[in-house]
Amino acid sequence: MPEVAVKAKKGKAKNKAHSPRNYALNKSGLMRYSQSRMYHKRALWRLKKARDDSKKAKEKKQKPKKPSRVVVKKVGGDKNGGERKVRKQRLPKYYPTEDRPRRLVRRKKPFSAHKHKIRSSLKPGSVCILLAGRHKGKRVVFLKQLASGLLLVTGPFHLNACPLRRINQIYVIGTKTRLDLGKVKLPKHINDGYFKRQRAEKPKAGEELFENTKTKYTLSEQRKKDQVEVDKQILDAIKKSAEKKLLMGYLGSMFSLTNKQYPHKMVF
């Protein structure tokens, strides 16, 4: 008989639902115990202390001891103390009269090291509309993105007189019209340095200012050769497409808006 009673008690304990120590006293959300009281009831401070101790122990093991800057040297004489602490490297005796500017550590990366993302609508071969510069309003072909993040585009020159040039993608509208540039091979030397102009040398002291006239910018033979080579490949790609006549007229025409035409409502 007593064994049966023990089993019945065990069965009741299993079926009993667990009730939490901390619960809401009313509908407003007021809890029985505060957050700090529960922190001590659950003895979470012990866990935190154990974690902090283990963390400090790891840091002590990992951190190597710094070499001391001081050396202990023995000194003779009864009244001199027996030893003296001396610096390994002596401080300078003389200081500069002028304070030189100290270069601070730069945390920010330079522009050349930034990651330059490109819009999803801009892919090699897509036709773009220029919105700034001397060629604004023209439709050009996007070739590739350079290391600086600028876009390399061309007219081609035969259709709208727009040469190989760089432009920021914020001054460009990407359209759905796209050419197949699979067989187009661009020269490897066309990069950001390719478009830099050489600055004219300043006149030396003693030379007359009137002798140095302003030199006008002229295209190099290499630039002309590259323009012809790239445009020839793009024109071949246009001729292979089924809508070559429409593409020729489309690239040769200027983009413009009339009354009650809003670019933010258009699909290009």
Side-chain angles (χ1 to χ4, degrees):
M1 291 296 289
E3 291 179 3
V4 175
V6 170
K7 286 181 180 179
K9 283 183 181 179
K10 284 184 178 178
K12 283 183 180 179
K14 285 181 180 178
N15 295 331
K16 190 178 178 181
H18 172 72
S19 59
R21 284 183 289 181
N22 199 14
Y23 52 85
L25 296 173
N26 52 21
K27 291 181 180 180
S28 62
L30 180 66
M31 303 302 289
R32 184 186 177 194
Y33 298 118
S34 64
Q35 191 175 0
S36 59
R37 186 78 181 275
M38 287 300 297
Y39 181 83
H40 287 282
K41 272 185 171 294
R42 295 173 67 186
L44 294 174
W45 54 274
R46 290 181 183 176
L47 293 172
K48 190 179 179 184
K49 189 181 178 183
R51 286 171 189 168
D52 293 344
D53 292 342
S54 62
K55 192 176 181 182
K56 285 178 182 178
K58 283 181 181 179
E59 286 178 356
K60 283 182 181 179
K61 288 180 181 179
Q62 289 176 358
K63 283 186 178 179
K65 290 183 179 180
K66 293 182 180 179
S68 62
R69 298 180 181 180
V70 181
V71 181
V72 180
K73 290 188 177 181
K74 291 182 179 180
V75 181
D78 298 332
K79 298 181 180 180
N80 290 331
E83 58 183 25
R84 191 173 295 168
K85 292 181 179 180
V86 183
R87 289 179 66 92
K88 284 184 179 179
Q89 292 183 351
R90 290 185 179 183
L91 296 171
K93 293 181 180 180
Y94 303 101
Y95 293 93
T97 54
E98 295 181 1
D99 292 333
R100 294 179 181 178
R102 187 179 175 185
R103 191 173 183 181
L104 300 174
V105 179
R106 294 179 180 178
R107 293 182 181 178
K108 292 183 178 180
K109 291 181 180 180
F111 181 75
S112 58
H114 288 185
K115 289 183 179 179
H116 305 289
K117 294 181 180 179
I118 192 168
R119 273 182 281 163
S120 58
S121 60
L122 296 174
K123 292 181 180 179
S126 58
V127 177
C128 308
I129 300 167
L130 303 184
L131 303 176
R134 61 172 62 188
H135 298 283
K136 60 184 175 183
K138 292 182 181 180
R139 294 179 173 90
V140 294
V141 181
F142 168 56
L143 301 175
K144 68 173 183 177
Q145 188 183 28
L146 300 172
S148 63
L150 299 175
L151 309 181
L152 179 66
V153 297
T154 185
F157 190 82
H158 177 72
L159 296 177
N160 53 23
C162 183
L164 281 165
R165 60 189 293 106
R166 298 177 297 171
I167 191 166
N168 198 318
Q169 61 179 329
I170 62 173
Y171 303 118
V172 155
I173 296 175
T175 65
K176 291 183 178 180
T177 309
R178 193 174 299 164
L179 298 174
D180 185 14
L181 301 183
K183 295 182 180 180
V184 176
K185 292 183 180 179
L186 297 172
K188 292 182 180 180
H189 58 269
I190 297 179
N191 49 23
D192 290 304
Y194 179 79
F195 293 95
K196 286 184 180 179
R197 294 188 182 184
Q198 293 181 354
R199 293 182 180 180
E201 294 180 0
K202 292 182 179 180
K204 295 179 181 178
E207 292 182 0
E208 293 184 7
L209 296 172
F210 298 103
E211 290 181 2
N212 294 324
T213 56
K214 289 184 179 180
T215 56
K216 291 183 179 180
Y217 173 72
T218 54
L219 279 172
S220 62
E221 294 298 325
Q222 181 65 38
R223 192 86 173 262
K224 292 176 183 178
K225 185 181 177 182
D226 293 336
Q227 184 70 56
V228 173
E229 184 182 345
V230 173
D231 282 5
K232 186 181 178 183
Q233 296 181 68
I234 292 168
L235 288 169
D236 290 342
I238 293 168
K239 288 173 184 176
K240 287 179 183 177
S241 65
E243 300 177 347
K244 58 181 179 181
K245 288 185 179 180
L246 290 171
L247 282 171
M248 289 278 191
Y250 183 65
L251 290 168
S253 63
M254 295 283 287
F255 173 74
S256 60
L257 294 171
T258 57
N259 291 338
K260 297 181 180 181
Q261 286 185 346
Y262 308 105
H264 61 277
K265 291 183 179 180
M266 293 181 180
V267 178
F268 294 95

